[in-house]
Amino acid sequence: MLEDLSFGELKAAWGRHTGKPLPRVSAGLLRLALAWELQASVSGGISRITRQRLDQLAMDKTTTRPARPGMRLVREWNGTVHQVTIGEDGVISWQGKEWRSLSEVARAITGTRWSGPAFFGLKQKKVAA
């Protein structure tokens, strides 16, 4: 049990399980951090989408609205209007085909790598207050 470990034992366990430098925190907070690290190692940690969302919140420069079922996204590119729909099952459709992501559709339209949410206006810069 983490509650029964001394601070020295917590430090050793932190180094053994994370390989990261010891944070400058109290023994109580180190127990919580170590508990989280142990749980994350068992459950696979934070998903890529959650990690991206946390990074975006930390940077506080952009916001991204998620693509929700039932949405219809319209974008004009080089004089052509493109319409993408998000099905109730989350499937992305464009020109009668199903796509894995908005970025994949944006790439098919432009021929270059794009962030799909940025291309379709779901990702926007925050306005300074």
Side-chain angles (χ1 to χ4, degrees):
M1 298 290 290
L2 293 176
E3 293 176 5
D4 300 329
L5 298 180
S6 69
F7 190 70
E9 291 169 326
L10 285 171
K11 287 170 44 178
W14 176 265
R16 197 172 46 251
H17 289 290
T18 68
K20 298 176 186 174
L22 183 68
R24 295 182 63 153
V25 296
S26 68
L29 195 52
L30 185 57
R31 279 187 187 89
L32 292 174
L34 186 55
W36 188 90
E37 292 286 347
L38 292 170
Q39 289 174 349
S41 69
V42 170
S43 66
I46 299 173
S47 70
R48 182 181 61 87
I49 292 172
T50 300
R51 196 172 21 257
Q52 287 175 335
R53 177 84 174 116
L54 290 172
D55 289 344
Q56 188 177 44
L57 287 171
M59 297 292 288
D60 198 32
K61 292 182 179 176
T62 59
T63 59
T64 303
R65 292 179 293 142
R68 298 184 192 277
M71 280 183 130
R72 184 176 62 176
L73 304 169
V74 179
R75 170 70 194 259
E76 183 273 332
W77 181 260
N78 287 341
T80 303
V81 176
H82 298 275
Q83 180 177 304
V84 173
T85 57
I86 313 295
E88 292 302 322
D89 52 1
V91 173
I92 298 167
S93 299
W94 174 66
Q95 291 192 335
K97 290 177 56 181
E98 294 182 357
W99 301 78
R100 292 181 297 175
S101 70
L102 290 174
S103 296
E104 196 174 70
V105 175
R107 185 175 188 172
I109 292 170
T110 65
T112 60
R113 289 189 181 272
W114 267 84
S115 158
F119 183 78
F120 288 102
L122 296 175
K123 181 178 181 179
Q124 297 179 333
K125 289 183 179 178
K126 281 189 169 184
V127 177

